[in-house]
Amino acid sequence: MAAPSPGSDMFDEIVMADDRFHGEGYQEGYAEGSQAGAAEGRRYGALHGAKIGSEIGSYLGFALTWQHLLPKCTDEKNSKKIRALDSLIGMIQKFPYGDPTYEKLQDDLEKIRGKFKQKITADFFWKAWGVNLLESCSS
């Protein structure tokens, strides 16, 4: 504890010590909490970003694979599938991977998810259950 200044009362120093220590403790705690929060935020952001990247990558891989397999098919049913694939690939290519501050990031991600679930999985999985999709292309 610092020596009392010549004009101050020793009892005031003792009474005010509680307030002073409280303020110093608050400042130290705030600084440590800010550092810990920033580190935790970076870890969470990296993990969440990796999950989103993996999800979008799987959609892109699916779409590119089917885009490669379907060009031989020229019938109307398969041309709709090709258009849906092209649309999904275009949405994924426009997705702002490098800009985490993009305001519509979640909206665009939801649109990609919706496009994949609604159009792509319906056309490629459920309607083709038990049927070889490429059978009509091999003739």
Side-chain angles (χ1 to χ4, degrees):
M1 189 163 136
S5 58
S8 68
D9 186 9
M10 183 163 59
F11 293 112
D12 284 340
E13 294 277 330
I14 294 171
V15 171
M16 298 306 289
D18 184 45
D19 289 339
R20 190 182 76 221
F21 290 139
H22 182 271
E24 289 173 5
Y26 175 82
Q27 292 300 326
E28 289 174 15
Y30 185 84
E32 286 182 30
S34 294
Q35 289 176 344
E40 183 180 347
R42 280 191 293 277
R43 281 192 304 273
Y44 177 79
L47 177 65
H48 193 64
K51 286 179 182 178
I52 290 173
S54 177
E55 177 184 2
I56 290 178
S58 68
Y59 297 154
L60 183 61
F62 177 90
L64 290 173
T65 300
W66 278 105
Q67 187 183 43
H68 179 73
L69 294 172
L70 289 177
K72 299 177 230 168
C73 303
T74 57
D75 62 344
E76 180 63 28
K77 183 171 73 170
N78 286 323
S79 67
K80 285 183 181 180
K81 291 176 185 177
I82 291 170
R83 284 194 304 271
L85 288 170
D86 291 341
S87 174
L88 178 64
I89 291 169
M91 291 170 73
I92 292 171
Q93 288 173 339
K94 291 177 186 173
F95 190 76
Y97 300 103
D99 184 10
T101 61
Y102 177 63
E103 292 179 10
K104 295 182 180 181
L105 185 98
Q106 289 298 324
D107 294 337
D108 288 355
L109 182 59
E110 288 301 319
K111 287 177 186 175
I112 291 171
R113 286 176 177 152
K115 180 76 162 179
F116 182 78
K117 289 176 184 175
Q118 180 184 24
K119 295 284 185 187
I120 304 300
T121 55
D123 286 345
F124 287 91
F125 289 125
W126 307 124
K127 291 179 183 175
W129 189 256
V131 177
N132 183 355
L133 281 176
L134 301 177
E135 196 172 85
S136 62
C137 296
S138 59
S139 335

